[in-house]
Amino acid sequence: MKQRKIFVLLSVVLVLFSCGTKKKTVKTTTDNKQPKVHILTIQEKTIAAQPDFVTMSAGKAKFSLNYEQKQMSANGSVTFVKDSIFIVSVQPLLGIELLRLEATPQQLTVIDKMNKRYVQLTYVEVKQETGLPITFDDLQAIVMSRLFVVGKQQQYLLDNDIETISSEGKSTLSLREGKLVYKYVIDETLLMPLSVDIQMQGNKGETRIEYGQHKLFSTILFPQALNVAYISSDLSGELQITLPNLSFDGNVNAVPMRLNNYKKTTINAIISGK
């Protein structure tokens, strides 16, 4: 069960990786006929400046997984279509796809092509395994390097008071929603998240997502490195993703794979290779 939980957590964030800045309307109020200027919060600035694109493709991606003192590395690719699908293809040998992960608004699918088998999990099942009410929108936010609160619309970050500490060009935002405690670190110059920590109340485990190696692709500023870690007293795992070859808003081939000749199995079977 613990193996399945960490694999689901890492798989969720694996799937793992702006054309322009959106304008934000600032409302003003009057007090004795004197205009009162609204000072934008750091989360408002970051959301207004966040990357926005329809498609993304990342060839020559590199994946490195450290799990229970085991290390695995592989090459691959990531393909993304906004509000539709994103696909992670793992190709450890000569560009031959051996493992594929697909996320759609309905479900997550892990495909072991070498052994012709697959696993499908709805987001309800992901919640049952991890305790996180995660949705496709949350996964999409992670891929698009956006601020997010699990199971909530992004407006939640604008409508609620968030404790903010600013130091050395970085803002740290702290938020509690339900049983989850969040800590965001935002670069005040780039206006992009550098890390997100999520901890469940009463649970010693913590999930951390880190973004790095930001680069400007035409008009889109985007991180080329994504690091996802799950840390607890008795279990830990870390996934590093490097995306050296990114392109945005081009034509991509991103359709779910047909599974007619594949056998349904379990996550534990795929992890163990049995």
Side-chain angles (χ1 to χ4, degrees):
M1 184 63 71
K2 288 184 178 179
Q3 280 190 329
R4 183 172 181 182
K5 179 178 291 188
I6 186 63
F7 185 84
V8 171
L9 280 169
L10 292 177
S11 296
V12 160
V13 289
L14 168 67
V15 292
L16 294 113
F17 321 55
S18 43
C19 40
T21 299
K22 291 185 177 179
K23 295 182 179 179
K24 183 176 182 68
T25 301
V26 180
K27 296 182 179 180
T28 60
T29 60
T30 59
D31 184 11
N32 296 327
K33 298 184 179 180
Q34 294 296 322
K36 187 175 181 180
V37 178
H38 171 68
I39 300 175
L40 291 175
T41 63
I42 186 64
Q43 61 266 31
E44 287 176 317
K45 293 178 182 179
T46 302
I47 290 173
Q50 66 191 1
D52 192 17
F53 46 86
V54 177
T55 67
M56 180 187 79
S57 62
K60 299 181 180 179
K62 297 184 183 297
F63 308 103
S64 178
L65 176 64
N66 298 323
Y67 170 62
E68 290 190 339
Q69 299 182 341
K70 297 178 182 178
Q71 294 185 344
M72 294 172 282
S73 298
N75 298 326
S77 64
V78 178
T79 307
F80 170 82
V81 179
K82 186 178 179 181
D83 299 329
S84 178
I85 190 173
F86 56 93
I87 300 170
V88 175
S89 173
V90 180
Q91 305 154 6
L93 298 172
L94 302 175
I96 299 174
E97 184 179 60
L98 296 184
L99 184 68
R100 180 183 177 101
L101 193 146
E102 301 174 352
T104 68
Q106 291 75 39
Q107 62 193 10
L108 296 172
T109 305
V110 182
I111 306 168
D112 176 3
K113 296 187 71 174
M114 184 174 182
N115 296 294
K116 288 188 171 297
R117 55 188 181 175
Y118 71 95
V119 176
Q120 284 184 330
L121 294 170
T122 66
Y123 296 101
V124 171
E125 291 171 326
V126 172
K127 180 181 177 181
Q128 291 171 348
E129 292 298 325
T130 66
L132 296 176
I134 200 160
T135 67
F136 179 81
D137 288 341
D138 301 320
L139 301 181
Q140 180 167 267
I142 295 172
V143 174
M144 298 182 77
S145 187
R146 297 181 168 204
L147 294 178
F148 69 97
V149 175
V150 172
K152 300 289 185 179
Q153 296 294 319
Q154 199 172 60
Q155 187 66 33
Y156 185 89
L157 289 160
L158 305 178
D159 293 340
N160 290 270
D161 293 330
I162 299 177
E163 179 185 345
T164 304
I165 299 175
S166 179
S167 176
E168 299 181 348
K170 298 177 183 178
S171 284
T172 301
L173 282 62
S174 299
L175 169 69
R176 180 186 297 272
E177 199 289 312
K179 294 183 177 181
L180 299 180
V181 179
Y182 297 82
K183 184 173 73 174
Y184 314 84
V185 177
I186 298 174
D187 188 300
E188 295 173 347
T189 300
L190 298 178
L191 292 177
M192 296 201 75
L194 299 178
S195 65
V196 182
D197 290 273
I198 307 173
Q199 188 169 16
M200 183 172 292
Q201 188 177 8
N203 187 331
K204 296 180 180 180
E206 180 178 346
T207 299
R208 162 167 280 200
I209 304 167
E210 295 179 310
Y211 301 92
Q213 300 180 29
H214 292 79
K215 181 180 177 181
L216 187 63
F217 297 86
S218 183
T219 59
I220 301 175
L221 181 65
F222 204 79
Q224 292 183 285
L226 175 66
N227 186 76
V228 181
Y230 179 79
I231 305 167
S232 70
S233 58
D234 60 350
L235 185 65
S236 64
E238 182 178 27
L239 174 67
Q240 297 176 337
I241 303 169
T242 306
L243 307 172
N245 185 18
L246 280 165
S247 61
F248 299 89
D249 288 328
N251 294 324
V252 297
N253 181 19
V255 294
M257 181 176 162
R258 293 185 178 182
L259 301 172
N260 298 15
N261 298 321
Y262 282 68
K263 181 181 178 180
K264 197 166 186 177
T265 186
T266 65
I267 286 289
N268 285 335
I270 291 181
I271 292 175
S272 63
K274 296 179 179 179

